[in-house]
Amino acid sequence: MPIQYPTVALEPLGRTEEEMISNARDVFNLMERRRSVRDFSDEAIPFGVIEDLVRTASTAPSGAHKQPWTFCVVSDPDMKKRIRDAAEKEEYESYHGRMPDEWLEDLAPIGTDWNKPFLEVAPYLIVVFKRAYELGPEGKRRKNYYVEESVGLACGFLLAAIHQAGLVALTHTPSPMNFLTTILGRPENERPFLLIPVGKPAAECRVPALERKALDKVMVSFRGSASRT
Ligand code: IYR
């Protein structure tokens, strides 16, 4: 029988009521300014910053604490070019026949197309892989749990950390993206999940003037009659 983890005392952050209220608002004010960016500067970013961003991503909760993710960090120009070429080849096909009209209509306001220059311009590409299973001793497969949810959460943490560092990113989803497995030489138990270019925005970077849903469109509350606050 596997033994249970020993326990340690939780070290709560210990915020006061005032801090709780102002921090909740501060985090919203910060995150509300995050935007998906397609127009990057090629300015270099210290590798140590990227390491800390990935460290943060890897603090996300995961099914049975399996941490079923691998973050491939690519700054090598040749590899970025290979990734761009392969992504554009797939995206060209997607935009010219593989995507149904409804999808193309939904993307039209955002103005995306098959050209993906950001894959070479951004100083880093973080290619996130999900790990469907682990290989135990003697090559025996051990399942991971809630892999999509876990890796999605880790990517959310990553995007929040990128934004907090003053950098920008795009959650890019070239489709299909098995070319990433080949180019990055990933093992059989890993599947590409998201391709995230990271860097500073280009000097004259513009983004679509889109609005987010208001709270009453995304939250439904059941507070009962005893609610006091
Ligand atoms: N994967 C394509 C299409 C695309 C899909 C969604 I959903 C977007 O929000 C944006 C683009 C591409 O990356 O262009």
Side-chain angles (χ1 to χ4, degrees), residues 21 29-30 57 60 67 91 96-97 111 122 130 139 147 171 192 195 201 205 207 224:
I21 292 164
N29 285 334
L30 174 72
Q67 303 184 100
E91 291 295 276
H96 294 86
K130 59 180 177 185
V147 171
T171 41
L195 173 42
C205 179
V207 293

Side-chain angles (χ1 to χ4, degrees), residues 38 91 95 99 103 107 110 112-114 116 172-175:
R38 292 176 170 75
E91 291 295 276
Y95 280 88
M99 284 152 71
W103 192 348
L107 288 180
I110 306 171
T112 57
D113 62 25
W114 62 273
K116 306 297 173 191
H172 180 41
T173 51
S175 176

Side-chain angles (χ1 to χ4, degrees), residues 1-7 64-66 142:
M1 266 294 277
I3 52 156
Q4 210 184 325
Y5 285 116
T7 64
H65 190 52
K66 296 288 186 175
R142 295 216 47 127

Side-chain angles (χ1 to χ4, degrees), residues 43-61:
E43 193 181 325
I45 305 292
F47 186 67
V49 169
I50 303 297
E51 287 182 315
D52 275 345
L53 300 177
V54 173
R55 278 191 182 98
T56 300
S58 203
T59 67

Side-chain angles (χ1 to χ4, degrees), residues 27-187:
V27 173
F28 167 64
N29 285 334
L30 174 72
M31 292 313 296
E32 191 240 343
R33 293 181 62 181
R34 186 205 56 80
R35 296 300 310 266
S36 291
V37 161
R38 292 176 170 75
D39 198 4
F40 288 82
S41 153
D42 63 1
E43 193 181 325
I45 305 292
F47 186 67
V49 169
I50 303 297
E51 287 182 315
D52 275 345
L53 300 177
V54 173
R55 278 191 182 98
T56 300
S58 203
T59 67
S62 61
H65 190 52
K66 296 288 186 175
Q67 303 184 100
W69 44 65
T70 302
F71 297 88
C72 291
V73 177
V74 182
S75 54
D76 175 63
D78 294 332
M79 211 173 241
K80 287 199 291 185
K81 181 171 180 0
R82 288 175 63 199
I83 291 173
R84 175 185 177 178
D85 288 347
E88 287 184 335
K89 199 160 162 256
E90 294 294 359
E91 291 295 276
Y92 184 89
E93 294 305 325
S94 295
Y95 280 88
H96 294 86
R98 282 203 301 229
M99 284 152 71
D101 286 347
E102 186 179 326
W103 192 348
L104 292 171
E105 274 164 34
D106 280 338
L107 288 180
I110 306 171
T112 57
D113 62 25
W114 62 273
N115 287 288
K116 306 297 173 191
F118 51 76
L119 293 175
E120 272 188 278
V121 177
Y124 292 101
L125 305 179
I126 302 183
V127 189
V128 186
F129 286 82
K130 59 180 177 185
R131 298 169 66 95
Y133 58 90
E134 303 296 332
L135 285 178
E138 296 143 36
K140 201 168 159 286
R141 287 186 185 198
R142 295 216 47 127
K143 230 177 96 51
N144 287 330
Y145 308 94
Y146 300 102
V147 171
E148 301 281 326
E149 291 85 346
S150 302
V151 183
L153 288 160
C155 288
F157 278 39
L158 179 63
L159 294 178
I162 288 167
H163 182 61
Q164 166 71 28
L167 300 173
V168 294
L170 178 70
T171 41
H172 180 41
T173 51
S175 176
M177 53 180 162
N178 23 20
F179 64 86
L180 293 166
T181 301
T182 318
I183 293 175
L184 300 173
R186 299 316 301 162

Side-chain angles (χ1 to χ4, degrees), residues 191-202:
R191 298 277 178 275
F193 185 78
L194 269 185
L195 173 42
I196 309 181
V198 182
K200 293 188 178 175

